[in-house]
Amino acid sequence: MAFEVPAPSGRVDIAVLVSGSGTLLQALIDAASDPAYGVRIAAVGSDRQCSGLERADRAGIPSFVCPPAQFPSRAEWDAALAERLREVRPRFVVSAGFMRILGERVLSEQTVINTHPALLPSFPGAHGVRDALAYGVKVTGTTCHVVDAGVDTGPVIDQRVVAVAEDDTEESLHERIKVQERAMLVDVVRRLAHEGFTVEGHRVRLGVTR
């Protein structure tokens, strides 16, 4: 994986994909309400009706639903989602709690970033918090990474560390991780949008270096 996204001039449009409550989306909505942030959420997409779409509607952000069940195959759903994103023309796409694996068509057309509630490459997959706690680690955290064809295997952009308390449950630990995850995503989106970035192999460099 190697590509460059140069720094633009002016406000940057992004698209956000959600599947659930939309707390990560809300953090971006709140940040984008400040003109100084310089990022506009041009559209919010989902694979289902969810609270995240309601947050978009309240903020006056256009939204769409692309349900996989309406398509004969995963590839056709992926092509339809790619078409919807193409219409938005985002600088990049943020997967904010989007619970679907993106396919080749979307990933070949869009740069997509995602957050994960563990310090990748450790504890990938749907149960990162549970797996880290069961393993007995003393610190875990959250990772923002570029999405590739694997599951949580893309190049790391940023990470934030969260200490594990002796009496932590999966729920209590996850709540502390979410606080860091939201702050990290807001910061990463701002920096990617305005500094540009280069991906070379598994290294992401902020600012265009070539």
Side-chain angles (χ1 to χ4, degrees):
M1 177 182 286
F3 59 87
E4 180 179 294
V5 179
S9 58
R11 187 183 63 186
V12 173
D13 282 355
I14 65 170
V16 182
L17 298 176
V18 297
S19 289
S21 64
T23 56
L24 285 169
L25 168 63
Q26 188 64 54
L28 290 172
I29 290 173
D30 293 345
S33 67
D34 181 355
Y37 190 62
V39 174
R40 182 177 77 112
I41 303 173
V44 173
S46 182
D47 58 328
R48 67 192 75 175
Q49 293 295 332
C50 64
S51 299
L53 293 178
E54 296 172 7
R55 293 178 187 271
D57 291 343
R58 287 196 294 271
I61 300 170
S63 63
F64 65 87
V65 181
C66 191
Q70 292 186 359
F71 300 91
S73 68
R74 182 174 176 274
E76 288 171 278
W77 168 76
D78 186 62
L81 179 59
E83 183 176 356
R84 296 304 299 267
L85 291 172
R86 196 181 310 124
E87 293 169 357
V88 178
R89 301 178 65 184
R91 193 70 174 177
F92 54 89
V93 177
V94 179
S95 173
F98 188 62
M99 301 306 291
R100 297 281 175 178
I101 296 176
L102 297 171
E104 181 180 358
R105 182 68 69 85
V106 169
L107 295 180
S108 66
E109 296 185 10
Q110 305 288 345
T111 300
V112 184
I113 69 169
N114 181 55
T115 60
H116 179 74
L119 296 176
L120 296 174
S122 298
F123 312 114
H127 305 294
V129 179
R130 182 191 309 173
D131 294 343
L133 195 59
Y135 197 86
V137 297
K138 300 305 180 184
V139 295
T140 183
T142 181
T143 301
C144 187
H145 64 98
V146 178
V147 177
D148 63 9
V151 178
D152 300 323
T153 57
V156 170
I157 304 168
D158 196 5
Q159 293 181 308
R160 304 287 169 92
V161 175
V162 175
V164 180
E166 290 296 329
D167 60 349
D168 259 330
T169 63
E170 181 181 352
E171 291 73 21
S172 66
L173 179 57
H174 202 175
E175 285 305 312
R176 293 206 311 286
I177 290 172
K178 286 177 182 178
V179 173
Q180 295 298 322
E181 187 176 30
R182 290 190 287 267
M184 176 183 65
L185 182 61
V186 167
D187 184 50
V188 165
V189 166
R190 176 187 59 80
R191 296 190 67 191
L192 294 182
H194 293 290
E195 296 178 29
F197 58 100
T198 302
V199 179
E200 296 176 343
H202 257 72
R203 182 170 297 229
V204 179
R205 292 185 173 90
L206 295 174
V208 176
T209 59
R210 292 180 294 171

